[in-house]
Amino acid sequence: MKFYTNVFQRGNKIYYRGYEEGRRVAEAVEYKPYMFVPHRRDTSTRYRTLQGKPVERIDFDSIRDAKDFIERYNEVDNFEVFGLTNFQYLYIYDKFHGEIEFDPAQINVISIDIETDSSDGFPDIEKADKEIVSITLSRKGEKVV
């Protein structure tokens, strides 16, 4: 069983945290994304847009290269670029293609509850003008601190 708990992009890397075979994993991947452009010839192609137009895949060596390509062709009339530009979602699609099975028992969920003095009314959240009287952490309904 393999599932993710957090995926984000910074620079040319995709940072991934999750579980594989019951063990916690964390990776920083030099991701090589891809985009799609209209197919040069209207022949059979594996890739199509949502409207059914044939497109061809362009692979990039880095996220920066893909962003440069998008920026370079952004102002070009009658030239369309297709695909996900939030590259963390493309990474998720590539790594976890299909339905993701996950085990909620392996995920730690912790809640934080902060109580403040309310003897003169509730605090103004913009000013944070009341004294904190307690901070409680709980995990799956049980009190931790």
Side-chain angles (χ1 to χ4, degrees), residues 68-81:
D68 289 345
F69 178 84
I70 293 164
E71 191 174 312
R72 185 176 22 214
Y73 289 100
N74 189 33
E75 300 295 324
V76 176
D77 290 336
N78 297 322
F79 187 81
E80 296 175 289
V81 177

Side-chain angles (χ1 to χ4, degrees), residues 15-143:
Y15 294 85
Y16 152 71
R17 286 180 186 231
Y19 289 84
E20 294 181 9
E21 306 305 322
R23 292 185 14 230
R24 224 182 245 186
V25 294
E27 298 176 351
V29 179
E30 293 277 345
Y31 188 59
K32 296 182 178 186
Y34 49 89
M35 303 293 296
F36 299 89
V37 296
H39 201 280
R40 292 185 197 139
R41 294 175 297 281
D42 215 5
T43 59
S44 65
T45 177
R46 175 179 165 183
Y47 304 109
R48 301 219 174 254
T49 67
L50 294 173
Q51 292 75 31
K53 295 179 185 177
V55 291
E56 59 184 300
R57 178 174 160 160
I58 298 176
D59 293 292
F60 298 97
D61 289 330
S62 68
I63 291 172
R64 179 78 263 154
D65 289 347
K67 286 183 174 185
D68 289 345
F69 178 84
I70 293 164
E71 191 174 312
R72 185 176 22 214
Y73 289 100
N74 189 33
E75 300 295 324
V76 176
D77 290 336
N78 297 322
F79 187 81
E80 296 175 289
V81 177
F82 300 94
L84 293 171
T85 56
N86 290 333
F87 298 115
Q88 66 270 21
Y89 298 134
L90 191 57
Y91 174 83
I92 290 169
Y93 172 80
D94 289 342
K95 187 166 178 88
F96 302 96
H97 192 72
E99 190 170 335
I100 301 170
E101 291 185 37
F102 68 97
D103 181 1
Q106 292 183 329
I107 301 171
N108 287 324
V109 178
I110 296 177
S111 299
I112 301 173
D113 183 26
I114 300 173
E115 300 295 332
T116 61
D117 177 35
S118 60
S119 58
D120 294 327
F122 287 104
D124 180 338
I125 60 171
E126 296 293 322
K127 295 179 184 175
D129 59 348
K130 300 291 183 176
E131 179 183 358
I132 295 174
V133 294
S134 73
I135 299 175
T136 305
L137 300 175
S138 60
R139 179 178 45 227
K140 296 180 187 175
E142 66 185 51
K143 190 173 177 180

